[in-house]
Amino acid sequence: MRSPPLVLLLSLALAGGSALAQTELSSPAPLPAAASPGPSSALSLGQVLTQLRGSPGWRSAELRYRSAELALAAAQARAGFNLSVGAEANAVKLPAASGETQLSATLTAQASIAVLPWSPPLEAVRQAQRSLLRAAAERRAAQATLTLNTVQAYWAARNAQEARLLADAQATLAGRQLQVAQAQRQAGVLPLSGLLAREQALSDAQARQREAGGDADLAARQLVNLLGQPVFLPTDPAAYGALPTEPQLPTAVDAVIARALSGRAEVTGAQNDLLDAQAGLQAARLDAGLPELNASVQYGQLGAGQSPAGWTVGASLNAKTGVLAGQARVPVRTPGEQPTGVTLALTASVPLVGGDKRVSVRSAEVAVQGTELALATARQSVELEVRQRQADLLTALDTLASRRGALRQAQEAQGTARARLAAGLVTALDVEDANLQLRQAALGEENARVQAFLASLRLAQSSAELDLTLLTAAPATPSTQTAPTPEARP
């Protein structure tokens, strides 16, 4: 049987890692870049968010807002001054058997404009204006959600690459530890259970390695799905740029809730729905209480008996529709000398029995009550979401502080392992394991920092204060190191 000193020498030879003790104690060892073909360039968050503005989701939000703008322009055109011209031709033979055929042609013109405040065309303009405000709030909310999801996917892709490289290193270390265990087993100083434990550790490390590779691929595809176009993702985490800074503690929740209630799309939409319902109620009451009343005046060669009419001008006002209309008729050939006159007319119609106007009023009242409840529900939902987002941010900050504590402990453990290696108490593999534990703790701290940053963005989104231009205009400064960047495609 070999002596224990010989086994120790054999283990050290298999470990072959005396150079590991030369690394710096203050920071974990840098992760190596994956060697795969592709262009070499950094990818900043600002570049990704700039590409997001061409994504299908972003353009769809813009198109919905543009549609609301066109609807408002159409409503304003219908409520404004309208003018049309026309012509008509007539052939009259009276009596039909022996009369002389008379031909006539007349040019006509009609103009109209809504003048009374309750006119349906003017109410349609006000409704279109509210719809435009609703569309603007929904556009901002949709683009804020896309921005937040893209930022999350960007940092997820970066951390997935970091985790993949760490899993590769852990699998390599597990393989070397298995070689040492096999040598110790052959030397008779390691029981079979110890060898089986090392084999299982290698199997678990390889499973984590495959899982990390799959996670990196899915993270890349998620980012591509949001952007709607291929993007070259670096395999070196340093090429993604500096990690976000730690967010500040949130302000008083009541002030945040007040800003959210004035800017959230859900509240804005519910308020506009209430205004639409109130306008519908006012129109229903007006329709039920105001009679059909129309006043008209006509002046010109009106004609009498069998004399054809000459030129005429006229105007009319409908009290219920609120539309003022004007007409003019000019014959192409003068029918002869005719006296001019004026005609005044006033017509009114009041329903006495039947009709569904009262039911319409009641239905409009119910609609107002429903939209009032919807507005109250939207306000409560927004308030609850803001409070939840603020609590999530505080939790994320606590988690970040805990991960930093774990990082300091891992740094101390690495220093202790190196000191024990110098004293001959442990092997180089133990130091390498401490290095990997430090890298694992560093990755946990980076993930916690990203999650705290995302929690602050979610809080800003919940209060309608997420600045989309700031995220795009001030991207993180990328590192000068570059790495092969394979193209990620869905």
Side-chain angles (χ1 to χ4, degrees):
M1 179 179 294
R2 296 184 179 91
S3 61
L6 180 59
V7 175
L8 178 59
L9 291 176
L10 180 60
S11 300
L12 291 174
L14 290 173
S18 59
L20 294 173
Q22 306 297 326
T23 56
E24 294 294 333
L25 177 61
S26 59
S27 62
L31 297 175
S36 55
S40 177
S41 62
L43 182 66
S44 68
L45 179 59
Q47 293 172 334
V48 172
L49 293 179
T50 300
Q51 295 182 29
L52 178 64
R53 296 181 179 272
S55 65
W58 193 284
R59 296 200 307 268
S60 177
E62 293 287 352
L63 290 176
R64 287 193 296 269
Y65 178 76
R66 180 56 180 162
S67 177
E69 284 184 325
L70 295 177
L72 174 59
Q76 290 173 336
R78 288 190 294 269
F81 180 75
N82 295 276
L83 175 64
S84 61
V85 295
E88 61 180 59
N90 297 291
V92 179
K93 185 177 182 181
L94 191 68
S98 59
E100 181 180 356
T101 302
Q102 298 181 354
L103 302 177
S104 64
T106 306
L107 300 179
T108 62
Q110 296 88 25
S112 64
I113 186 173
V115 293
L116 298 181
W118 58 82
S119 173
L122 294 179
E123 179 55 37
V125 171
R126 291 189 288 269
Q127 185 174 3
Q129 290 173 340
R130 293 190 293 268
S131 297
L132 182 61
L133 294 176
R134 183 189 297 108
E138 291 175 350
R139 177 185 65 172
R140 176 176 176 80
Q143 292 176 350
T145 300
L146 285 172
T147 300
L148 180 58
N149 292 340
T150 302
V151 172
Q152 181 176 353
Y154 174 83
W155 291 119
R158 185 264 181 198
N159 289 343
Q161 293 295 342
E162 185 93 34
R164 180 184 60 81
L165 296 178
L166 180 57
D168 292 342
Q170 289 174 335
T172 301
L173 176 60
R176 295 170 64 184
Q177 289 174 335
L178 177 59
Q179 292 177 359
V180 172
Q182 290 171 344
Q184 292 174 341
R185 176 62 180 169
Q186 291 177 359
V189 296
L190 183 68
L192 179 60
S193 59
L195 178 61
L196 294 178
R198 286 302 181 188
E199 291 178 347
Q200 184 62 43
L202 176 59
S203 178
D204 293 342
Q206 291 173 341
R208 289 193 297 269
Q209 186 181 27
R210 292 189 296 269
E211 182 181 0
D215 291 343
D217 179 70
L218 289 177
R221 292 177 182 273
Q222 175 65 23
L223 185 58
V224 170
N225 183 59
L226 288 169
L227 297 179
Q229 56 183 312
V231 59
F232 290 100
L233 296 177
T235 55
D236 182 7
Y240 284 83
L243 288 170
T245 58
E246 178 181 353
Q248 298 179 352
L249 289 173
T251 58
V253 67
D254 292 336
V256 179
I257 291 174
R259 294 193 295 269
L261 292 178
S262 62
R264 283 287 295 270
E266 297 91 330
V267 177
T268 302
Q271 289 173 340
N272 288 331
D273 290 341
L274 177 58
L275 292 176
D276 289 342
Q278 291 174 342
L281 175 58
Q282 181 180 2
R285 288 174 175 172
L286 184 67
D287 183 60
L290 190 65
E292 290 286 348
L293 184 63
N294 187 73
S296 62
V297 58
Q298 194 172 21
Y299 175 78
Q301 296 175 344
L302 302 178
Q306 297 183 358
S307 301
W311 63 268
T312 60
V313 294
S316 62
L317 176 64
N318 190 296
K320 179 167 287 190
T321 63
V323 175
L324 177 64
Q327 308 87 28
R329 296 171 55 88
V330 179
V332 177
R333 292 187 303 175
T334 304
E337 292 293 333
Q338 291 188 13
T340 59
V342 60
T343 300
L344 300 176
L346 181 64
T347 60
S349 175
V350 179
L352 297 179
V353 180
D356 60 347
K357 298 185 182 299
R358 293 184 179 179
V359 177
S360 299
V361 172
R362 182 55 184 162
S363 177
E365 291 174 347
V366 172
V368 170
Q369 295 173 0
T371 53
E372 289 175 344
L373 294 175
L375 176 58
T377 302
R379 288 177 175 273
Q380 293 174 357
S381 299
V382 168
E383 179 179 353
L384 179 60
E385 182 180 351
V386 170
R387 293 184 183 276
Q388 181 63 53
R389 295 304 185 191
Q390 188 170 47
D392 292 342
L393 176 56
L394 294 175
T395 301
L397 291 174
D398 292 339
T399 302
L400 176 58
S402 176
R403 293 293 183 269
R404 284 178 175 168
L407 177 59
R408 288 191 295 268
Q409 292 178 4
Q411 290 173 341
E412 182 65 24
Q414 184 198 48
T416 302
R418 289 177 177 176
R420 290 171 61 85
L421 175 63
L425 301 176
V426 295
T427 67
L429 286 181
D430 296 319
V431 177
E432 186 174 353
D433 183 67
N435 288 339
L436 290 181
Q437 293 298 327
L438 178 57
R439 293 170 65 179
Q440 183 70 44
L443 179 58
E445 189 272 342
E446 292 171 356
N447 283 328
R449 197 190 316 175
V450 169
Q451 292 303 318
F453 176 69
L454 293 175
S456 68
L457 294 185
R458 294 188 187 99
L459 177 59
Q461 181 193 24
S462 67
S463 60
E465 295 176 314
L466 183 59
D467 193 342
L468 308 182
T469 60
L470 180 61
L471 289 174
T472 306
T477 304
S479 172
T480 56
Q481 300 178 1
T482 58
T485 53
E487 184 179 8
R489 295 180 180 273

